[in-house]
């Protein structure tokens, strides 16, 4: 079965510290993976997708098929990074996005 | 460009009633997806519509239904409401069918409380 697991419900770091939000997936085919973010009082929005291999707001994510992971990383966290982050997988049997349960990132000053 | 608009934003219903939620996608977007968001289950896929046809459906009972109109606006209906239907219902639109070809643009959601 297709599944996305985000093991941490809450991640708290200090400003300037590195941050890594973990995401593991279960999928037998070739997945497409995404990170979505929801800032306080804002809509859920796409942060980045693995096929673009881009860095957005200093965040990067590498797809590791061997470890079935797609961890989100940023070398120096900023207070404005505080938000809810969702990892998502495309490739479900219905062709829809399958979301993890999310990790709340809190960056302290 | 206006974003995805969902109405109503908040509503309270009692068990056994039915509810209809509306979603207007971004202009030009032809695909509309619906998700249920709850604290315990997170975001769960309900269904996707493209060109007025349901293309994909999640694992929800038949009480949950939807439709899409020729202008791409979509509605979802929940009949015989149960307490467990209390959730934030999110609508998302995309330019084409299926997430793998594009990103989803989400609305602010309709928060349903069932008493």
């Amino acid at each position: 079965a297709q599944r996305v697991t985000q093991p941490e419900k809450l991640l708290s770091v200090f400003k300037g510290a590195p941050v890594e939000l973990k995401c593991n997936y279960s999928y037998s085919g070739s997945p497409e993976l995404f990170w979505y973010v929801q800032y306080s009082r804002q809509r859920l929005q796409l942060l980045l997708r693995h096929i673009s291999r881009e860095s957005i707001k200093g965040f990067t994510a590498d797809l590791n098929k061997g470890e079935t992971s797609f961890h989100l990383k940023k070398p120096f966290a900023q207070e404005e990074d505080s938000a809810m982050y969702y990892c998502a997988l495309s490739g479900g049997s219905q062709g829809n996005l399958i979301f993890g349960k999310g990790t709340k990132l809190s960056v302290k000053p | 460009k206006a974003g995805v608009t969902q109405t109503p934003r908040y509503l309270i219903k009692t068990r056994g009633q039915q509810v209809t939620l509306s979603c207007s996608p971004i202009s030009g977007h032809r695909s509309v997806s619906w998700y249920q968001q709850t604290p315990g289950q997170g975001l769960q896929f309900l269904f996707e519509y493209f060109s007025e046809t349901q293309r994909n459906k999640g694992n929800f009972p038949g009480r949950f239904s939807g439709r899409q109109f020729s202008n791409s606006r979509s509605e979802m209906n929940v009949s015989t409401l149960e307490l467990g239907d209390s959730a934030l219902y999110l609508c998302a639109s995309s330019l084409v069918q299926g997430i793998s070809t594009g990103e989803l643009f989400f609305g602010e959601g309709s928060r349903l409380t069932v008493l």
Side-chain angles (χ1 to χ4, degrees):
Chain A
Q2 296 89 9
R3 186 182 297 119
V4 176
T5 303
Q6 293 179 251
E8 304 133 331
K9 279 190 175 181
L10 174 65
L11 184 62
S12 184
V13 301
F14 286 102
K15 177 183 172 181
V19 62
E20 181 179 67
L21 292 94
K22 291 184 168 51
C23 171
N24 289 91
Y25 67 90
S26 172
Y27 183 65
S28 56
S30 293
E32 292 189 51
L33 285 145
F34 306 80
W35 277 98
Y36 277 75
V37 61
Q38 188 167 28
Y39 300 102
S40 179
R41 288 185 290 277
Q42 292 189 30
R43 303 166 187 230
L44 190 60
Q45 59 187 288
L46 178 67
L47 179 62
L48 54 79
R49 69 192 87 186
H50 93 270
I51 57 172
S52 299
R53 303 185 70 81
E54 58 201 343
S55 174
I56 302 293
K57 298 183 178 182
F59 284 99
T60 58
D62 290 318
L63 177 61
N64 186 323
K65 291 188 178 181
E67 296 183 357
T68 60
S69 68
F70 188 56
H71 303 327
L72 183 68
K73 301 176 184 179
K74 185 169 183 177
F76 307 103
Q78 302 300 313
E79 289 180 68
E80 55 265 31
D81 296 329
S82 296
M84 196 74 183
Y85 291 80
Y86 295 91
C87 182
L89 162 72
S90 173
S93 56
Q94 298 113 336
N96 55 281
L97 261 190
I98 300 169
F99 284 87
K101 294 195 176 181
T103 297
K104 184 175 182 179
L105 174 64
S106 174
V107 182
K108 299 177 180 178
Chain B
K1 196 183 256 189
V4 176
T5 304
Q6 292 188 244
T7 57
R9 292 289 317 281
Y10 303 91
L11 65 167
I12 300 174
K13 294 285 186 179
T14 56
R15 280 183 299 173
Q17 287 187 309
Q18 74 163 14
V19 66
T20 299
L21 308 178
S22 179
C23 172
S24 293
I26 291 173
S27 178
H29 284 194
R30 298 171 62 191
S31 174
V32 173
S33 299
W34 288 90
Y35 285 83
Q36 182 194 66
Q37 186 176 30
T38 58
Q41 298 300 318
L43 280 151
Q44 293 188 285
F45 173 72
L46 280 157
F47 25 65
E48 178 189 8
Y49 287 87
F50 183 79
S51 295
E52 302 177 65
T53 302
Q54 187 181 92
R55 301 293 180 168
N56 297 300
K57 189 177 190 306
N59 297 321
F60 277 82
R63 301 186 296 108
F64 292 81
S65 63
R67 58 178 175 169
Q68 186 180 35
F69 302 95
S70 58
N71 62 358
S72 294
R73 189 178 71 86
S74 177
E75 289 182 346
M76 68 162 282
N77 184 78
V78 188
S79 62
T80 321
L81 284 166
E82 300 177 359
L83 295 178
D85 297 333
S86 294
L88 181 68
Y89 290 88
L90 290 171
C91 168
S93 74
S94 63
L95 197 56
V96 293
Q97 177 191 357
I99 182 56
S100 62
T101 54
E103 71 182 270
L104 291 182
F105 293 83
F106 282 86
E108 294 179 289
S110 292
R111 184 165 295 282
L112 170 66
T113 300
V114 182
L115 302 176

